[in-house]
Amino acid sequence: MTPSTTEIPLWEHPVLRAAAGETLRPGGFAITDRAAALIGLVPGWRVLDVGSGLGVTVDRLRARFGVESWGVELSGSQIARGDARHVIQARGDVLPFADGTFDAVFCECVLSLFENPRQGLAEFHRVIRPQGVVVLADLYAEGRIESSGNSCGERAVSLATTRTQIEACGFSVRLVEDHTDQLKNLAAKLVFAGDHRAGGCGCGLGYYLMIAQKEGEPHGG
């Protein structure tokens, strides 16, 4: 049986692609590019995009910053719709890479969908080299104690909760910025496109950019 459009997760729904573009998230490449500049991304770095969707951020990082970027995406249908040249089908919390493989991990608008975000952060920590960085961008909901539901809005937690989780995994938070304006812009576009689930995007939720650095001495060579 073919699922109805209302049963399709928002991140795979055509209306999100129409409203947000191929990045499928608030802020699009603007937040990605800002994060790349803030962490001093340079050519030759090995970068992983977790939850890479259509693979456009992987391509963006390669083309604009000259890095060796790769993506992991759980959804086979998302990989099939996009550019799969540098994308591997895998879970974000069970990464098929050796310890210390990457200089940086990007995870934009995906962590809130993990069954166990702390497990995912621990996996990011494992594959990042000492003093490498993780870039998180996602929804937050102040005052919410437990997540529920299946959408990123329903599963959003407070910024303090995310900060506690990432620090418990061995990262030091270097920067937190609020980009809720980008979430509101996307919510408005979805409402005008007729998606009823967009109402939750702009009600009591915010959107953040967080950059954290893995503790430890850098490896040689």
Side-chain angles (χ1 to χ4, degrees):
M1 179 182 296
T2 302
S4 68
T5 54
T6 56
E7 295 173 327
I8 300 173
L10 181 58
W11 59 88
E12 293 193 358
H13 200 293
V15 73
L16 179 60
R17 190 168 182 174
E22 293 191 337
T23 63
L24 308 176
R25 59 177 181 264
F29 287 133
I31 293 177
T32 304
D33 291 349
R34 175 162 177 74
L38 287 167
I39 67 174
L41 205 62
V42 295
W45 270 27
R46 290 171 293 183
V47 179
L48 180 65
D49 182 29
V50 174
S52 55
L54 303 175
V56 295
T57 297
V58 174
D59 292 342
R60 174 79 167 194
L61 293 173
R62 282 178 175 262
R64 189 177 182 89
F65 299 96
V67 301
E68 183 183 337
S69 55
W70 296 88
V72 293
E73 170 58 47
L74 181 60
S75 169
S77 59
Q78 290 289 75
I79 294 174
R81 291 188 188 102
D83 183 351
R85 289 175 298 172
H86 305 108
V87 176
I88 298 168
Q89 187 171 16
R91 292 171 57 100
D93 55 359
V94 188
L95 296 170
F97 303 103
D99 297 358
T101 297
F102 295 99
D103 299 289
V105 168
F106 282 62
C107 183
E108 298 182 85
C109 213
V110 174
L111 185 67
S112 58
L113 295 172
F114 280 29
E115 288 296 324
N116 185 337
R118 182 166 174 171
Q119 178 180 329
L121 292 168
E123 188 69 346
F124 299 171
H125 184 273
R126 183 185 67 77
V127 301
I128 293 174
R129 64 163 170 80
Q131 296 195 1
V133 294
V134 60
V135 173
L136 301 177
D138 215 327
L139 281 74
Y140 69 86
E142 293 300 343
R144 186 172 297 174
I145 298 174
E146 295 182 358
S147 60
S148 61
N150 294 318
S151 73
C152 50
E154 292 170 322
R155 298 179 63 84
V157 298
S158 70
L159 266 174
T161 297
T162 299
R163 185 167 189 142
T164 298
Q165 290 175 336
I166 197 167
E167 289 177 342
C169 290
F171 291 99
S172 296
V173 175
R174 300 303 187 197
L175 175 141
V176 180
E177 289 184 345
D178 192 285
H179 291 275
T180 301
D181 57 332
Q182 298 289 352
L183 177 65
K184 291 180 178 178
N185 288 340
L186 177 56
K189 290 178 181 177
L190 288 169
V191 168
F192 279 115
D195 191 283
H196 68 281
R197 293 166 293 189
C201 290
C203 182
L205 296 172
Y207 197 76
Y208 69 86
L209 167 66
M210 182 181 293
I211 295 174
Q213 186 171 33
K214 180 174 176 176
E215 299 168 355
E217 295 296 324
H219 56 67

